[in-house]
């Protein structure tokens, strides 16, 4: 009896241990480098050193390369650098980075559709050059500095770049990856965006402790992503290459560009050791795995909406227009609107302009409402985006008011009561148009409320990303 009791205790402990292991989730670290400095040749050697060091550690990173940087490496015959980087993952970091005008400047006064066309006109050539030079299409894109704009999403999809990897305050969701504009975003990661400082700030042990805590927090919640980034140039220079040439909107001729000040050899070696030891420590933490942007896309998979009961969707959308999380997956507000319309699941963009309802009556006759529904279906099918407004004869409802009204419709009444929108997804976007675009390269006092407004309009596509 005593032995059998002991066996039961041991089995119980094993069961609890296994249950605890199952509850813990994987922690993925995406390590990326904005590889941008095409003025200072020492930055070429820094990229080479970092790539070699990481390869020796058995870690693959994502090098987001500027188009002009790749072309300059070709011109300098730095095949050694190109080959070392090619062993890792290659992302895209704009065609010229800080040469004016930067993306936010030239997109600020353009609408969503024309802005996407303009971004593609200016930037696609750099992405094509990366594909030619490295032999693979870039896995991701990230804006130079804080020069973010929502029109890039549509252009990147057309360019075959499925992921947005960077950091900024413009839009974020729970400090973890999310789907937005049809792209997987690793952005605005909060306390899960970290690095070991190269120049003071905190002791190495403190950097390790911060990493360990973040990894433990993610593991406890079922898994997630930590984002770490650097610039190869900062390992060999004491000032950024673009800050000494293009600050506050400056745009000197190429013949007048100046090189940034260099670190001493000893200082550079210290910086390289900070990165090496930080990565080695992170790699040693149980449950942590380094992944590239390309691998992260596979881990999150396609954002296909789960099958959810229509009544649940209707109740949710009638109360507030924002994403819905279920045990089987997540749905964006656009996903749910299509479901309420009886349309096939597909990605559609949000509206391109904000519209106000012009409806004088509190209810809509059933025949008029059904005609409007069919018109919305026709518009979405033709344009692959949500309309700005929905017409009822000469009157209109904004797309938000229409969605709320449709969700509240019982499908049988002779008239449908008009409901007002509650576009809750807008709270995930910055409302600080100056601070959000604060970057030394932008002109002084640059502010872009227009871009944040376009971003909020595309909030219909926003939803959390879930690991497979």
């Amino acid at each position: 009896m005593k032995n059998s009791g002991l066996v039961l205790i041991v089995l119980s402990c094993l069961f609890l241990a296994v249950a605890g292991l199952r509850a813990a989730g994987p922690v993925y670290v995406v390590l990326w480098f904005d590889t941008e400095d095409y003025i200072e040749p020492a930055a070429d050697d820094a990229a080479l050193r970092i790539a070699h060091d990481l390869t020796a550690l058995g870690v693959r990173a994502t090098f987001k390369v500027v188009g002009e940087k790749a072309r300059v490496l070709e011109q300098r015959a730095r095949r050694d650098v190109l080959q070392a980087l090619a062993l890792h993952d290659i992302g895209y970091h704009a065609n010229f980075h800080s040469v004016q005008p930067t993306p936010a400047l030239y997109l600020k006064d353009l609408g969503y559709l024309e802005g996407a066309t303009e971004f593609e006109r200016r930037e696609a050539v750099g992405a094509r050059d990366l594909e030619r030079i490295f032999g693979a299409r870039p896995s991701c894109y990230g804006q130079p500095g804080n020069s973010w704009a929502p029109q890039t999403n549509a252009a990147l999809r057309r360019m075959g770049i499925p992921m947005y990897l960077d950091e900024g305050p413009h839009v974020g969701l729970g400090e973890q990856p999310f789907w937005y504009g049809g792209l997987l975003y690793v952005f605005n990661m909060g306390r899960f965006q970290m690095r070991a400082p190269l120049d003071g700030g905190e002791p190495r042990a403190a950097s390790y402790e911060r990493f360990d805590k973040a990894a433990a927090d993610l593991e406890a919640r079922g898994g997630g992503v930590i984002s770490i980034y650097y610039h190869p140039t900062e390992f060999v220079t004491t000032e950024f290459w673009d800050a000494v040439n293009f600050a506050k909107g400056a745009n000197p001729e190429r013949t007048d560009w100046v090189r940034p000040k260099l670190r001493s050899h000893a200082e550079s070696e210290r910086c390289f050791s900070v990165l090496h030891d930080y990565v080695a420590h992170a790699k040693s933490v149980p449950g942590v795995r380094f992944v590239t942007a390309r691998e992260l896309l596979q881990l999150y998979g396609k954002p296909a909406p789960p099958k959810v009961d229509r009544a649940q969707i209707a109740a949710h959308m009638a109360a507030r227009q924002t994403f819905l999380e279920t045990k089987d997956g997540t749905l964006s507000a656009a996903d749910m609107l299509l479901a309420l319309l009886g349309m096939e699941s597909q990605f559609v963009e949000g509206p391109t302009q904000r519209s106000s309802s012009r409806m004088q009556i509190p209810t809509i006759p059933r025949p008029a409402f059904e005609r409007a529904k069919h018109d919305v279906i026709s518009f979405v099918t033709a344009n692959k985006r949500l309309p700005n407004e929905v017409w009822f004869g000469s009157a209109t409802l904004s797309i938000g008011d229409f969605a709320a009204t449709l969700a509240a419709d019982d499908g049988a009444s002779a008239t449908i009561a008009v409901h007002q929108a509650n576009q809750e997804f807008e709270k995930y976007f910055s409302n600080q148009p100056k601070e959000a675009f604060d970057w030394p390269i932008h002109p002084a006092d640059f502010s872009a409320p227009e871009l944040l407004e376009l971003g909020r309009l595309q909030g219909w596509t926003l939803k959390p990303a879930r690991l497979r």
Side-chain angles (χ1 to χ4, degrees), residues 198 217 268 286 396:
L198 297 182
D217 288 349
S268 289
T396 64

Side-chain angles (χ1 to χ4, degrees), residues 374-447:
H374 286 296
D375 191 47
V376 174
I377 292 170
S378 175
F379 182 95
V380 171
T381 301
N383 297 287
K384 305 302 179 187
R385 70 175 190 274
L386 302 182
N388 303 331
E389 57 193 2
V390 181
W391 288 89
F392 299 84
S394 60
T396 64
L397 286 181
S398 69
I399 187 60
D401 288 350
F402 172 76
T405 301
L406 174 64
D409 176 27
D410 63 10
S413 301
T415 59
I416 297 91
V418 174
H419 285 66
Q420 289 189 332
N422 174 21
Q423 294 183 183
E424 195 177 282
F425 55 69
E426 295 193 6
K427 72 180 184 181
Y428 298 101
F429 293 82
S430 172
N431 59 5
Q432 303 293 323
K434 186 175 183 294
E435 291 81 353
F437 295 93
D438 185 24
W439 181 36
I441 306 307
H442 282 157
D445 298 322
F446 177 72
S447 179

